[in-house]
Amino acid sequence: MRWAPLLLLAVTACEGSVLGGLDGLPGVGGVDPIAPGGGPTQPVDPLALRCRDELSVAWGPLRRVTHEEYDSAVQRLLDTTATPSTTFPAQARAHGFTNGSALQTVGELQVERYADAAEALATAATNDLPRLLACDVAAQGEATCAHRFIDRFAPRAFRRPLEDTERTALREAYARARREQLSFRDGIEVVLLAVLQSPKFLYHLEEGAPASDGLVKLNGATVAARLATALWQSLPDDALTAAALSGELDTKEGVEAQVRRMLADPRAKTVLVRLFLELTRADEVDRIDKDARLFPTWSAQRTSLKGEAARFLESVLFDGDGKLSTLLTAQHTFVDAELARLYQLPAVTVWTRVSLGASPRGGLLTLGSVMAVNAKANQSSPVLRGLFVREHLLCTPPPPPPQNANIVAPDVVPGVSTRERFRQHIADPSCAGCHQMMDPIGLGFENFDAVGGWRTTDEGFAVTPDGYLYGSDVEGAFLGAEDLASRLARSAHVTDCMGTQAFRFFAARHEADADTCSIYRANQAARLAKGDVKELVVALLSSDAFRYRKVAP
Amino acid sequence: MKPLSRRTLLGAAGASIALPWLEAHGQATGFPRRLLIVFTANGVRAEHWRPGGGVTDFTFSRILRPLESRRSKLLILEGIDCESANHGPGNNGHDLSMGHLLTATSLVPGPRGAGDFGHLVDGSAGGPSVDQFIASRLNAGTRFQSLEFGVRAQNIFMPLPSRLVYRAPFQPVQPENNPRNMFTRLFGSGVNPDPNGARALSKKRQVAFDLVKDDFRAMRAKVGVEDQRRLDAHAQALVEVERRATSLSTFSCQVPAMPAAANGYREEGAVQMELIKHAFACDLTRVATLQWSTAQSGATFPWLGFSEYHHELSHAGDSDAVATEKLNKIDEWYAQQFNTLLGHLDSVVEGDGTLLDNTCVVWVNELGRGNNHTHMDIPIVMAGGWKGHFRMGRYLRFPNTRPHNDFLLSLIEGMGVTATTFGDPRWCTGPLAALRA
């Protein structure tokens, strides 16, 4: 059995000679090599031993609700379609995903937007007080209805039962508002403002009971909130809250059952698609500019490219077999009129699923969005495309360039092909050590231009999409993107990397050594399920990393 | 933007606009000093930026020619080095340039260290930026301690090159990139509540804020040191927002109309520059920044006749005349924008001078030159100069070069804030006396 603790190895330098292969390639050093003659050796898998009983989780920072979670939460709490986060400052993507907690510091602008949003939501919600309160004020009295509203609203917003002191404090805020001559409606608005700006709503404080080694076993409400946050980017629903109360979420099996239920919900669909959109950065395609003289229809295309990516991902993950290998090699996509033109397919008028059968296009890698995002304004980019495969699919990014390296892409020179320009690039020994880990992969995509269109010539030369993938369990020469995709589809390194990426997304943080066994076990489960992405999700979300927390340093 | 109308406003439903210097002096005599820092990216080709001639009889370069008519109000500097950026953690030229530009101290790497192209994945600048250093010490009593205007000043994948302004390490201040959102921030929705409504609104907000602050205190006690820092930053900002949202002061000021929706780098920038004028003219703040794009800017300028990303162009070799011409066009365009901004400020009469005269506007660039990422000799143009505080109308060379800590300290001193050093003290030797002499 193969194992691949890729994420644990320190990346220090690109070593190894240009011609002799990359013996020192980061992330490959500990992996069983393919033995000469082709048959794999039978290595001992130290992780199997380590992860037999190890219980460990790395610390993660206090997470703020993401913009997506905020919108979804207020929509469910207040039965509105408002999307207040459209005016919030952009979220930094420190490890590639929008929900990353590393850089979630909140400044004045964000606080002001929370205040504005709370006020707008409170005003709108109290426009129809009877609907909001569902309480007969004339019969029950204002105070009773206000108290019932607090009891119903605050625990849902805080994603846990209300403590007595919290109930008292909210009742007192309402009472104080009334003492200060504010109206009943204003009193209800005060409750809304206080809850929607509270750190108990805006941050995920995760609580539980002390377990071994500085770990906390999360209580049911916290696990429910974690699951809802991870898989729905929203609040727990009634079933999840009930499972938390009944103790069902105290066991791994109980968590698994809930995750399976949750995966069938449309919210899980949106979030799993988002995982892959953000992993490939296909979601950014409609924000990038291209050279308008070379690509005059780009501004119309880029919106279509984003639509294609989402449709393709959903079709494989939810309407297809849901396997990672299928994501990489599927022979279909979705085109609208714009994309049919770009992909040189028969004209269509509405979004249409098309078979790519004989076409050299197919799978995640050759989505126009993925090709366009990993390219320049006026040319392809073997470096960016190679880096994309290496970093996001193999989890073995090359180390950063040396201090003060002059990072200059070779200029576009009329009459010189990209391949030729990069040949000169890689001939410089000081560049080659690292660049041969990227450029030879990226050159395999040379049939795809800067906007993801197909081309057979480059600066007048016929494109030869031969590439080479150094340093993985599918090392070797390949011809074109399709060939590369089928290699990656059978790579254990790729499926294990997917486990790591999914961990980063669902945990909203980068993994650390103490997370190794949570990821390892999830990857084992995913392998047993032949790379089924949903099985990976079930295994990850029921792993120790999602049911325990490390006590803060 | 339409001519101004008079109205009084409150909080988020309408800005409450006070003119503290009028209150303080009873009449329009002492106008306050303001500081405005304007940022553009990717360095310049110095040989096309540098003026010719002498200190007072200098001639305008290709890039700076759009500013020619403002000669007497300009002070152009050569020989200021961003020396601190040559030291300390960091591996990427743009991380270093941006993280040091207004802080003048070493970067702080995050737990993940360096990633793609050597960028610090989750790192931060190592101290407050000069504008925040000043704003937090001014006690100006203005509605906003500072205002951060951006024009597409965001790259979500690159924390360090994105952020110019910091309150403290790991507390970057995000600019508002959307002019209409900025307008609402400054002047409210335009709805003018009656005084009773205003009092009720203020009271309602106050009751809620009081409970929210209690919640922050309670949660703080339950988390570790690292998380406390996050909560504290939020709680600190909350106090500022609370102060504004519950203020009942209703000093009158001429409030502009909501700008039309802008879409495009040029268009958004144009509105932001007008809003800066209004924000200063209404004394909503004394300290502001305008950040055009980010360090390592990938902005495109199709209206100049080409569409390569700015950063890509800036890497072209010195001998590449075509790229150099495009870069010069970009920097010349930025000089035109700077000139427009100065024109806005100069159009507001304040006593016997103008708003520009009472402001020090500083145009800085992250780098000296783009294709070698040098932090030495960063191009700086100052304008206004606080009514003679700085001696304007000059092109000043520092042949022995001075660290930019000294330059930033001169701004601190000019704003009346007491400090003997700024940034990493190793590179700070004292204010630049030559600016005043």
Side-chain angles (χ1 to χ4, degrees), chain A residues 62 90 93-94 101 108 112-113 119 176 180 189 198 203 289 291 376 391 401 406-407 510, chain B residues 91 112 116 121 156 170 174 176 185 203-205 210 215 227 230 234 244 307 309 312 315 371:
Chain A
L62 180 65
R93 284 165 73 162
S101 54
E108 214 174 297
E112 198 172 277
R113 294 293 141 80
E119 211 154 275
R176 180 180 154 201
E180 299 196 22
E189 283 193 42
S198 172
Y203 290 87
D289 295 320
D291 190 325
K376 307 285 185 179
E391 180 169 16
N406 194 8
I407 307 163
H510 207 266
Chain B
N91 197 31
R112 286 199 50 216
D116 288 357
V121 177
I156 53 176
F170 296 99
Q174 284 183 287
E176 177 53 79
R185 239 194 134 197
K203 219 181 272 178
K204 195 162 61 180
R205 289 170 172 168
D210 285 345
D215 286 353
D227 292 338
R230 289 186 174 218
H234 189 144
R244 279 199 291 280
S307 36
Y309 303 132
E312 304 275 313
H315 272 276
N371 60 4

Side-chain angles (χ1 to χ4, degrees), chain B residues 269-321:
Chain B
V271 182
Q272 294 287 53
M273 292 194 293
E274 289 225 28
L275 289 177
I276 289 171
K277 171 185 77 175
H278 292 304
F280 277 146
C282 288
D283 201 35
L284 298 181
T285 192
R286 306 279 167 82
V287 177
T289 46
L290 171 62
Q291 183 184 332
W292 288 94
S293 189
T294 63
Q296 196 175 333
S297 166
T300 57
F301 305 82
W303 59 89
L304 297 178
F306 51 92
S307 36
E308 290 98 321
Y309 303 132
H310 188 187
H311 177 242
E312 304 275 313
L313 281 171
S314 75
H315 272 276
D318 289 348
S319 60
D320 186 337

Side-chain angles (χ1 to χ4, degrees), chain B residues 61-298:
Chain B
S61 60
R62 154 79 193 273
I63 291 171
L64 296 180
R65 191 159 302 133
L67 298 167
E68 198 157 11
S69 70
R70 305 196 189 277
R71 162 187 288 274
S72 67
K73 295 193 179 188
L74 298 179
L75 181 51
I76 301 169
L77 306 185
E78 187 189 325
I80 304 295
D81 291 341
C82 196
E83 177 61 36
S84 66
N86 294 323
H87 307 271
N91 197 31
N92 177 284
H94 297 280
D95 275 9
L96 288 160
S97 65
M98 195 62 155
H100 282 259
L101 187 57
L102 299 187
T103 68
T105 195
S106 290
L107 305 183
V108 187
R112 286 199 50 216
D116 288 357
F117 300 101
H119 285 291
L120 296 180
V121 177
D122 47 6
S124 169
S129 52
V130 69
D131 56 305
Q132 296 299 299
F133 183 90
I134 292 168
S136 64
R137 286 164 176 78
L138 266 187
N139 291 319
T142 48
R143 189 166 166 75
F144 298 89
Q145 267 196 10
S146 66
L147 285 169
E148 291 73 36
F149 294 81
V151 189
R152 307 208 165 179
Q154 182 70 47
N155 182 331
I156 53 176
F157 296 104
M158 294 183 186
L160 272 159
S162 267
R163 293 286 70 90
L164 177 69
V165 178
Y166 289 81
R167 282 187 93 105
F170 296 99
Q171 285 184 45
V173 182
Q174 284 183 287
E176 177 53 79
N177 289 309
N178 180 320
R180 282 163 73 93
N181 288 351
M182 184 55 112
F183 178 89
T184 306
R185 239 194 134 197
L186 299 176
F187 299 110
S189 62
V191 179
N192 189 8
D194 65 276
N196 288 336
R199 266 193 299 280
L201 182 57
S202 171
K203 219 181 272 178
K204 195 162 61 180
R205 289 170 172 168
Q206 190 61 64
V207 178
F209 279 128
D210 285 345
L211 183 49
V212 171
K213 285 185 289 182
D214 286 345
D215 286 353
F216 269 98
R217 277 188 285 273
M219 189 177 282
R220 192 181 195 284
K222 293 183 176 179
V223 301
V225 179
E226 187 87 359
D227 292 338
Q228 282 179 350
R229 269 198 286 272
R230 289 186 174 218
L231 291 175
D232 290 349
H234 189 144
Q236 186 190 358
L238 189 77
V239 171
E240 272 297 294
V241 172
E242 174 192 19
R243 183 174 68 84
R244 279 199 291 280
T246 56
S247 162
L248 279 173
S249 64
T250 53
F251 238 84
S252 65
C253 165
Q254 295 197 303
V255 173
M258 170 68 100
N263 185 19
Y265 193 59
R266 267 188 306 184
E267 293 77 6
E268 291 157 27
V271 182
Q272 294 287 53
M273 292 194 293
E274 289 225 28
L275 289 177
I276 289 171
K277 171 185 77 175
H278 292 304
F280 277 146
C282 288
D283 201 35
L284 298 181
T285 192
R286 306 279 167 82
V287 177
T289 46
L290 171 62
Q291 183 184 332
W292 288 94
S293 189
T294 63
Q296 196 175 333
S297 166

Side-chain angles (χ1 to χ4, degrees), chain A residues 58-289:
Chain A
W59 177 80
L62 180 65
R63 280 177 298 144
R64 174 178 59 61
V65 298
T66 64
H67 295 357
E68 291 76 14
E69 290 165 44
Y70 184 95
D71 282 350
S72 179
V74 299
Q75 285 164 8
R76 298 187 87 79
L77 285 168
L78 297 169
D79 192 19
T80 169
T81 55
T83 54
S85 80
T86 51
T87 65
F88 293 178
Q91 306 177 103
R93 284 165 73 162
H95 59 260
F97 298 111
T98 50
N99 65 358
S101 54
L103 296 169
Q104 276 181 335
T105 45
V106 167
E108 214 174 297
L109 195 57
Q110 181 65 65
V111 173
E112 198 172 277
R113 294 293 141 80
Y114 282 145
D116 291 349
E119 211 154 275
L121 291 162
T123 304
T126 54
N127 272 336
D128 189 350
L129 266 185
R131 180 160 157 262
L132 179 70
L133 301 178
C135 179
D136 186 345
V137 178
Q140 307 287 335
E142 291 178 341
T144 301
C145 285
H147 292 175
R148 284 187 188 167
F149 174 67
I150 289 167
D151 287 344
R152 202 178 67 247
F153 181 73
R156 290 181 66 210
F158 297 165
R159 304 169 290 268
R160 58 171 173 75
L162 213 51
E163 289 166 22
D164 288 342
T165 51
E166 294 172 326
R167 181 175 295 108
T168 307
L170 281 163
R171 287 182 176 191
E172 169 52 21
Y174 165 80
R176 180 180 154 201
R178 301 309 305 275
R179 282 199 304 276
E180 299 196 22
Q181 309 304 317
L182 292 171
S183 68
F184 176 59
R185 176 181 174 170
D186 283 342
I188 298 296
E189 283 193 42
V190 162
V191 172
L192 286 164
L193 292 179
V195 169
L196 293 176
Q197 293 179 83
S198 172
K200 295 167 187 174
F201 171 61
L202 295 173
Y203 290 87
H204 292 285
L205 183 70
E206 302 184 314
E207 298 183 292
S212 61
D213 296 335
L215 293 184
V216 166
K217 184 170 196 297
L218 301 172
N219 63 32
T222 298
V223 173
R226 269 202 177 187
L227 295 181
T229 302
L231 198 47
W232 289 347
Q233 300 190 346
S234 184
L235 300 175
D237 63 356
D238 291 344
L240 207 44
T241 305
L245 282 174
S246 73
E248 194 188 320
L249 299 181
D250 296 340
T251 67
K252 186 176 168 66
E253 295 69 31
V255 173
E256 267 187 38
Q258 281 297 321
V259 174
R260 287 188 194 282
R261 179 186 71 84
M262 293 172 71
L263 273 166
D265 187 283
R267 281 168 290 186
K269 205 177 267 192
T270 307
V271 171
L272 269 196
V273 166
R274 182 173 293 149
L275 160 58
F276 284 93
L277 285 176
E278 293 188 1
L279 176 67
T280 57
R281 301 187 181 182
D283 63 316
E284 286 290 309
V285 73
D286 57 346
R287 289 189 213 197
I288 58 174
D289 295 320

